[in-house]
Amino acid sequence: MSRRRHSDESDAGSQPHKRRRTSEPIEIEDRLESLICRVGEKSTSSLESNLEGLAGVLEADLPNYKSKILRISCAVARLLPEKLTVYTTLVGLLNARNYNFGGEFVEAMIRQLKETLKSNLYSEAVYLVRFLSDLVNCHVIAAPSMVAMFENFVSVTQEEDIPQVRSDWYVYVVLSSLPWVGKELYEKKDVEMDRLLNQIEGYLKRRQKTHVPMLQVWTAEKPHPQEEYLDCLWAQVQKLKKDRWQERHILRPYIAFDSVLCEALQHNLPPFTPPAHSDDAVYPMPHVVFRMFDYTDAPEGPVMPGSHSVERFVIEENLRCIIKSHWRERKTCAAQLLSYPGKNKIPLNYHIVEVIFGELFQLPSPPHIDVMYTALLIELCKLQPGSLPQVLAQATEMMYMRLDTMNTTCIDRLINWFSHHLSNFQFRWSWDDWADCLTQDIEKPKPKFVKEVLDKCMRLSYHQRIVDIVPPSFSALIPADPVCSYKYGEEADSSLPGLAMATTVGNAIKNRASNEEILIVLKDVPNPNQDDDDDGGDGFNPLKIEVFLQTLLHLAAKSFSHSFSALAKFHEVLKTLTDSDEGKLHILRVLYEFWRNHPQMISVLVDKLIRTQIVDCAAVANWIFSPEMAHDFTRFYVWEILHSTIRKMNKHVQKIQNELDEAKVKLEKQHNKKQRDSGDEEDMEKNSEDEEGQLEEQIERLQEKVESAQSEQKNLFLVIFQRFIMLLTEHLVRCETSGVDLNTTWYKNGIERLQQIFLMHHVIIQQYMGTLENLLFTAELDHHILAVYQQFCALQL
Amino acid sequence: MSIKLNALFSDSYVDISQYRDQHFKGNRYEQEKLLKQSCSLYVGNLSFYTTEEQVHELFSKSGDVKRIVIGLDKVKKTACGFCFVEYYTRADAEHAMRFINGTRLDDRIIRTDWDAGFKEGRQFGRGKSGGQVRDEYRQDYDPARGGYGKLDPTNVIFTTGT
């Protein structure tokens, strides 16, 4: 059994593989990886002496392990951007000692850059280019060749018929490297650099920014404008240039080695042409720079760098890189954030909190799962119990103050974060500080926020707990006690239709009646919708649904599991009763009526009804937009249900698509096998032909299934968008004709919920743009609503 | 570009623990294989009063929950402080191990661990008194877990502890 790992096969060319004890080379390689990865971490020796020592070790190992060292070095350049300058210094030292290594490293980096661009790994490509540019500072790469690469990048802005996000990226990658290398490049090639910056300025002036409003966390310009990312970066680079490229924040270990490094021979970057645009290229989406703090917010200690200072950019970049590297390990992540080099010169806690909320509120979606940020903030509070909780409280207070202009999607995330966070700290909060919300209309953002937070807090605890934690003055905002509303109970009016039947059904269920028996019992329920009884009573009968479902839910009200069992047991009855679209809508209405004080129960039951195919996704969408739900239309739980429904639909389509792809792969394998085995005995050939036939049939069936599922998916989005358009247009027309300001609280919620559909499901929706534009988002639409669509289109233009 | 830098990118919250179910039908290897693919979690140190609804709300933060089975006292058939949470996908369960394990539910720090998969009977405590083994010999007073432990001196059981 060969113990050679597949990575060794490429070594075979450069050196003969010495068959000593086979474990030794692997151990050494792991050790090399460990040494390289860990340099720069907390140590008793200085960083400089560690780098010096490591360079010596690696130089000695180059004859035998060059390939491995090259690969590890390329990997850390790509995966550990927060330690950029540590590794560029290391490469610089190695290059000074071994010119060939430097050349091969640069070549390997260029290869890696090409691969990342081809694979749509744009953030990693940024790190690679930044690394290359810092290598200019380490005398590994000649400045003019770096400028030439930047010139090639910026010339992408001259390409025609490309998506804006493509040229955006190439401009971004140049600008975002300048904090590191601007000084050096200007010293060597100022004329070219000026020309470059002028070109960039021209591009930035003419690029369109329709997408910006959709991505802003707050609509207000004060206190901190939510700037488009390229605009902000440009302002930062302009300021840096004005300061003659003096940049003092970045840790630059190579400065200590200047005498050694400047003796090294430099390499020229090979001419690099950006790969041409292709249809499967997926460029990063634009974003807006999130700012919530400035120098007035940190009371004592170091001052926060200004919003257009390049230091601010570098700090935010590095903190984001740390989170990107360590998000799976929350304790490590917190520790790494808190040990950020240079932390004594900046109000680090404020930066960390700002970056974390910036990611959490990022539109369309955060880089990582929401709950990670909650867990990370808790770890940070544990590590800095004397300072971080106060900053967090200050941030929460600030966000509360600015709820009026905060994007609804971001408010959702804030509600989820805050309630979950409180549940880890005994729900302690100075609610009285927020007493101002009590005098406002309950639909206004502040009282609404508090109400939704308390709702979520209750879900994580219980009703009495919430009553206990808030001052009595807050009672109007406390959620309802989540008890059910059984209409056929003891207090029911004796003339209520179906009352007697409900008792009969209830007894039948308690006596373990089967589905058939229940259906027979239900046959006697009169249909209030019909005059003649001779259709066999199988059509839509709302009273049947009410009697049965109310009674069933009442008997199973004790817990989720009880209700799930009940739905499963009487699946057949429910399926029969909800055969029509009206039936499906009605079952949701009855469910809502019964559990209207328990939104969590409504959510889980709707989920179950969809998964067991008693209702379909379109029925849920129609129900949410129905007049009966108008009262709850601005409540958070309603949108959670809608988005969960859309996600289920998407997962369903994806699942069948995967099955189809798998079957196709199988078929291809069959073909290949057949070609290899051809010439074998006749019955083997016949068997494989049968298998092929079966597979082909299966693929045809799956193909149909995929098309049908996609049709359902498209229809779901059409229904949702149609209903939005109807509802919002009605409001806009009414306001116009009565001369009332259209910007009501309801309207802000409505239009932002429409936006949210686009943002949260943008990948899928992009597939159906043609249909949407032709059928719904036409030029005849009110421009307020059309603007949302246009902003969405601008995200990937 | 295939190098992964194993030295650095650990995912320790997702690793399987030392605990092995002594009642598992199969050998160690089979159990470990299931644990490494599982979408199910054991959740321990719950209060006896923690409800399915609370568990559902918390664990939904890492993905769609497929099923929750509340652990019961074998004799009393009441909640005895643990449960199983099953997700539809492994990825969602992994997020729970990374971000919900070691945080609070109902004011208690809960602990999650991989489970090889729910089987009928596993919802019952295995302690002699009907609850969990850990409550048999627990010496502290925990009002959310029935007060003092049962402390039957003859009930010396060697487990890897929960």
Side-chain angles (χ1 to χ4, degrees):
Chain A
M1 179 177 72
S2 169
R3 297 261 223 116
R4 292 171 62 168
R5 301 195 300 187
H6 95 103
S7 59
D8 290 350
E9 281 160 27
S10 57
D11 289 351
S14 52
Q15 87 227 288
H17 187 82
K18 299 192 174 103
R19 281 196 185 283
R20 275 182 254 137
R21 286 164 289 161
T22 46
S23 56
E24 224 185 63
I26 292 175
E27 273 175 16
I28 293 179
E29 287 180 0
D30 283 345
R31 208 179 123 255
L32 283 175
E33 198 178 290
S34 177
L35 280 175
I36 294 175
C37 288
R38 295 202 184 290
V39 75
E41 285 175 24
K42 249 195 192 125
S43 164
T44 44
S45 336
S46 72
L47 175 60
E48 285 76 24
S49 74
N50 282 337
L51 281 170
E52 178 91 62
L54 182 56
V57 167
L58 294 178
E59 189 195 1
D61 278 328
L62 276 177
N64 292 329
Y65 296 100
K66 181 177 64 166
S67 195
K68 184 73 179 176
I69 293 171
L70 272 176
R71 255 208 297 273
I72 300 172
S73 308
C74 282
V76 297
R78 188 167 53 90
L79 300 171
L80 290 175
E82 63 269 24
K83 288 168 75 178
L84 177 84
T85 51
V86 170
Y87 291 117
T88 52
T89 307
L90 181 65
V91 172
L93 291 172
L94 284 172
N95 179 57
R97 296 162 188 238
N98 187 320
Y99 179 78
N100 284 334
F101 172 80
E104 288 189 56
F105 178 76
V106 171
E107 277 171 26
M109 283 287 280
I110 294 293
R111 273 198 304 274
Q112 208 183 194
L113 178 59
K114 287 195 176 123
E115 274 178 58
T116 50
L117 289 175
K118 220 177 3 169
S119 321
N120 285 325
L121 293 171
Y122 287 95
S123 51
E124 293 186 5
V126 170
Y127 304 147
L128 292 175
V129 173
R130 216 178 269 167
F131 197 95
L132 288 172
S133 62
D134 202 44
L135 285 179
V136 173
N137 294 324
C138 300
H139 298 264
V140 178
I141 291 178
S145 66
M146 194 73 222
V147 175
M149 180 185 250
F150 282 171
E151 282 169 344
N152 281 350
F153 283 173
V154 174
S155 67
V156 170
T157 60
Q158 305 299 322
E159 286 177 9
E160 289 182 355
D161 289 328
I162 52 160
Q164 184 173 282
V165 282
R166 172 177 161 88
S167 37
D168 279 355
W169 187 80
Y170 282 97
V171 165
Y172 175 74
V173 83
V174 171
L175 288 178
S176 71
S177 303
L178 292 182
W180 280 266
V181 75
K183 182 152 181 277
E184 189 66 24
L185 292 185
Y186 248 82
E187 272 174 19
K188 299 274 158 45
K189 285 275 178 183
D190 62 333
V191 171
E192 287 79 357
M193 287 302 292
D194 269 334
R195 200 185 316 137
L196 206 67
L197 288 186
N198 281 338
Q199 270 186 290
I200 291 177
E201 185 170 22
Y203 171 73
L204 291 177
K205 284 210 176 98
R206 59 174 198 268
R207 73 189 272 270
Q208 50 110 314
K209 291 189 287 198
T210 321
H211 54 274
V212 175
M214 199 175 217
L215 302 178
Q216 287 174 316
V217 173
W218 289 288
T219 52
E221 282 283 301
K222 293 193 162 34
H224 309 110
Q226 303 291 291
E227 278 184 283
E228 210 268 349
Y229 79 112
L230 276 182
D231 288 343
C232 185
L233 183 53
W234 175 249
Q236 287 164 328
V237 168
Q238 290 287 82
K239 184 163 183 297
L240 179 62
K241 181 173 175 203
K242 236 194 240 144
D243 293 340
R244 293 173 322 134
W245 304 98
Q246 298 300 327
E247 188 291 318
R248 282 181 235 287
H249 178 81
I250 297 174
L251 183 78
R252 298 178 194 258
Y254 38 82
I255 293 178
F257 294 104
D258 199 47
S259 51
V260 168
L261 293 176
C262 67
E263 298 293 310
L265 290 172
Q266 294 170 318
H267 305 265
N268 282 317
L269 278 174
F272 186 92
T273 323
H277 174 63
S278 80
D279 281 329
D280 15 315
V282 180
Y283 303 99
M285 273 208 211
H287 62 272
V288 158
V289 177
F290 178 82
R291 289 281 160 70
M292 66 182 297
F293 291 129
D294 62 30
Y295 68 97
T296 61
D297 292 307
E300 311 136 352
V303 170
M304 194 167 222
S307 60
H308 283 165
S309 71
V310 88
E311 283 77 21
R312 198 70 181 263
F313 174 78
V314 172
I315 294 165
E316 286 165 0
E317 269 294 288
N318 284 337
L319 292 177
R320 291 187 73 140
C321 288
I322 292 174
I323 295 175
K324 191 161 190 258
S325 296
H326 299 288
W327 65 271
R328 292 177 188 83
E329 296 275 2
R330 65 198 204 226
K331 285 186 167 61
T332 306
C333 195
Q336 291 282 339
L337 286 170
L338 289 171
S339 52
Y340 179 70
K343 62 183 173 175
N344 297 319
K345 304 204 202 103
I346 53 174
L348 182 62
N349 284 344
Y350 285 85
H351 284 290
I352 291 174
V353 166
E354 187 177 71
V355 165
I356 288 177
F357 279 122
E359 290 205 357
L360 180 62
F361 295 140
Q362 187 173 298
L363 296 167
S365 37
H368 306 286
I369 189 174
D370 296 33
V371 70
M372 184 280 283
Y373 299 101
T374 312
L376 179 59
L377 283 168
I378 293 173
E379 291 302 321
L380 287 164
C381 284
K382 278 194 214 162
L383 287 176
Q384 294 264 290
S387 56
L388 207 112
Q390 290 87 318
V391 177
L392 206 48
Q394 190 180 350
T396 309
E397 179 66 35
M398 284 172 73
M399 292 188 287
Y400 169 79
M401 297 297 284
R402 303 177 55 193
L403 281 170
D404 288 332
T405 55
M406 194 185 221
N407 183 299
T408 302
T409 303
C410 300
I411 298 182
D412 287 350
R413 295 185 200 160
L414 181 59
I415 291 167
N416 280 333
W417 167 73
F418 189 48
S419 52
H420 188 188
H421 181 84
L422 284 180
S423 75
N424 274 272
F425 295 95
Q426 297 104 40
F427 297 107
R428 272 173 305 171
W429 183 251
S430 44
W431 299 100
D432 276 316
D433 288 353
W434 289 355
D436 65 318
C437 75
L438 298 173
T439 54
Q440 292 182 16
D441 175 83
I442 211 169
E443 282 291 314
K444 287 270 178 246
K446 282 180 181 168
K448 194 163 188 40
F449 169 76
V450 173
K451 195 160 182 286
E452 297 283 5
V453 165
L454 293 178
D455 236 345
K456 289 277 170 156
C457 287
M458 183 178 73
R459 293 195 195 190
L460 289 168
S461 58
Y462 48 94
H463 189 255
Q464 186 57 45
R465 190 79 199 278
I466 305 305
V467 174
D468 292 339
I469 61 164
V470 296
S473 51
F474 276 70
S475 56
L477 300 178
I478 292 175
D481 200 0
V483 295
C484 60
S485 310
Y486 185 45
K487 70 193 288 188
Y488 302 114
E490 283 160 3
E491 303 91 49
D493 194 320
S494 53
S495 63
L496 186 64
L499 182 57
M501 197 38 83
T503 316
T504 317
V505 170
N507 289 332
I509 294 174
K510 284 186 228 176
N511 290 326
R512 304 175 188 282
S514 70
N515 279 271
E516 294 86 52
E517 287 162 348
I518 296 287
L519 282 168
I520 291 171
V521 168
L522 287 174
K523 265 202 188 325
D524 293 334
V525 176
N527 193 337
N529 284 358
Q530 278 177 318
D531 296 319
D532 51 277
D533 295 10
D534 51 12
D535 81 315
D538 279 341
F540 166 58
N541 183 338
L543 190 57
K544 255 194 209 178
I545 295 176
E546 269 187 67
V547 164
F548 177 67
L549 189 59
Q550 280 253 351
T551 308
L552 184 68
L553 289 177
H554 186 235
L555 289 170
K558 185 159 182 226
S559 77
F560 287 178
S561 286
H562 286 84
S563 296
F564 296 160
S565 285
L567 291 181
K569 186 149 195 270
F570 292 103
H571 182 259
E572 216 184 290
V573 174
L574 291 165
K575 222 38 193 145
T576 311
L577 292 177
T578 60
D579 204 27
S580 60
D581 282 346
E582 304 154 296
K584 293 180 170 64
L585 199 53
H586 200 69
I587 197 177
L588 292 166
R589 271 196 215 110
V590 173
L591 169 61
Y592 171 73
E593 275 301 307
F594 186 81
W595 278 120
R596 60 182 176 271
N597 291 324
H598 199 341
Q600 191 195 14
M601 178 66 97
I602 298 177
S603 305
V604 304
L605 290 182
V606 169
D607 176 81
K608 265 296 178 268
L609 290 174
I610 294 175
R611 289 188 192 271
T612 53
Q613 299 177 321
I614 293 172
V615 302
D616 58 6
C617 296
V620 175
N622 278 317
W623 165 64
I624 284 176
F625 284 95
S626 67
E628 293 86 38
M629 289 299 284
H631 177 258
D632 277 6
F633 192 70
T634 57
R635 284 187 67 183
F636 190 5
Y637 84 90
V638 165
W639 301 98
E640 284 186 321
I641 291 178
L642 184 61
H643 287 288
S644 169
T645 302
I646 298 173
R647 274 197 308 270
K648 278 191 275 284
M649 181 81 248
N650 296 344
K651 282 187 188 160
H652 173 70
V653 172
Q654 189 62 56
K655 182 161 170 274
I656 309 178
Q657 184 70 55
N658 291 343
E659 283 173 30
L660 176 63
D661 292 340
E662 269 172 37
K664 282 183 174 164
V665 165
K666 248 171 145 179
L667 184 66
E668 207 180 300
K669 278 197 183 138
Q670 269 288 79
H671 274 145
N672 296 340
K673 185 160 164 270
K674 200 165 122 184
Q675 280 173 0
R676 282 202 309 271
D677 293 349
S678 63
D680 279 359
E681 294 164 30
E682 234 181 71
D683 32 300
M684 268 182 75
E685 260 190 47
K686 185 165 188 307
N687 280 343
S688 72
E689 256 175 48
D690 282 343
E691 269 183 62
E692 227 180 271
Q694 274 178 7
L695 269 177
E696 279 169 358
E697 235 184 81
Q698 191 189 23
I699 287 176
E700 221 183 284
R701 263 184 290 121
L702 284 173
Q703 189 71 56
E704 276 172 29
K705 248 178 121 179
V706 165
E707 280 163 21
S708 149
Q710 280 176 333
S711 169
E712 204 189 324
Q713 184 184 51
K714 181 161 77 167
N715 184 56
L716 176 62
F717 282 109
L718 281 176
V719 165
I720 292 171
F721 285 131
Q722 231 159 24
R723 300 301 293 257
F724 262 116
I725 290 174
M726 276 163 49
L727 215 56
L728 292 170
T729 307
E730 214 181 275
H731 167 86
L732 289 167
V733 166
R734 212 181 318 122
C735 288
E736 206 183 307
T737 50
S738 51
V740 168
D741 181 20
L742 58 93
N743 280 316
T744 62
T745 320
W746 181 91
Y747 176 73
K748 178 180 185 282
N749 176 82
I751 199 87
E752 287 180 358
R753 289 294 179 195
L754 171 61
Q755 246 178 24
Q756 191 182 37
I757 304 281
F758 281 110
L759 289 175
M760 283 179 65
H761 307 284
H762 61 92
V763 176
I764 306 289
I765 292 175
Q766 232 124 32
Q767 295 169 19
Y768 301 122
M769 296 289 267
T771 312
L772 291 177
E773 204 158 314
N774 288 333
L775 289 184
L776 295 177
F777 295 97
T778 61
E780 285 92 54
L781 206 56
D782 185 301
H783 67 95
H784 293 96
I785 306 174
L786 196 57
V788 173
Y789 178 71
Q790 288 165 340
Q791 285 163 18
F792 171 69
C793 293
L795 284 179
Q796 269 283 310
L797 268 177
Chain B
M1 232 178 51
S2 55
I3 193 167
K4 287 258 193 288
L5 294 185
N6 300 316
L8 218 63
F9 295 119
S10 68
D11 199 0
S12 63
Y13 285 87
V14 163
D15 292 341
I16 62 175
S17 72
Q18 307 281 45
Y19 176 85
R20 298 289 176 269
D21 180 7
Q22 302 295 340
H23 294 204
F24 178 78
K25 300 263 185 313
N27 62 37
R28 278 290 144 119
Y29 171 75
E30 283 161 354
Q31 191 176 162
E32 278 167 31
K33 186 158 178 255
L34 285 176
L35 292 174
K36 287 180 184 163
Q37 305 165 333
S38 172
C39 301
S40 286
L41 301 178
Y42 161 87
V43 184
N45 200 37
L46 297 179
S47 152
F48 285 12
Y49 306 105
T50 298
T51 60
E52 185 186 352
E53 287 72 9
Q54 288 168 297
V55 173
H56 192 281
E57 177 69 14
L58 181 62
F59 282 85
S60 292
K61 291 180 185 298
S62 73
D64 291 338
V65 170
K66 186 172 178 184
R67 169 166 70 156
I68 294 171
V69 180
I70 298 286
L72 302 174
D73 182 299
K74 199 166 188 142
V75 173
K76 299 190 205 135
K77 302 292 197 287
T78 53
C80 67
F82 73 99
C83 72
F84 296 101
V85 176
E86 191 187 338
Y87 288 91
Y88 290 97
T89 68
R90 168 87 185 181
D92 292 346
E94 287 182 352
H95 282 324
M97 290 289 285
R98 292 184 192 110
F99 308 121
I100 300 178
N101 185 14
T103 66
R104 289 184 191 265
L105 175 57
D106 235 354
D107 290 321
R108 301 173 66 89
I109 303 235
I110 57 167
R111 201 183 62 81
T112 65
D113 197 1
W114 292 108
D115 184 68
F118 178 75
K119 291 230 164 7
E120 183 54 40
R122 298 196 67 234
Q123 71 268 44
F124 296 113
R126 292 174 183 167
K128 204 155 167 239
S129 317
Q132 289 198 280
V133 169
R134 65 208 296 266
D135 289 309
E136 291 296 310
Y137 54 86
R138 180 168 57 75
Q139 299 206 346
D140 61 325
Y141 180 76
D142 190 345
R145 288 184 73 99
Y148 288 106
K150 307 298 178 214
L151 206 56
D152 180 346
T154 66
N155 197 13
V156 179
I157 293 179
F158 295 94
T159 66
T160 50
T162 41

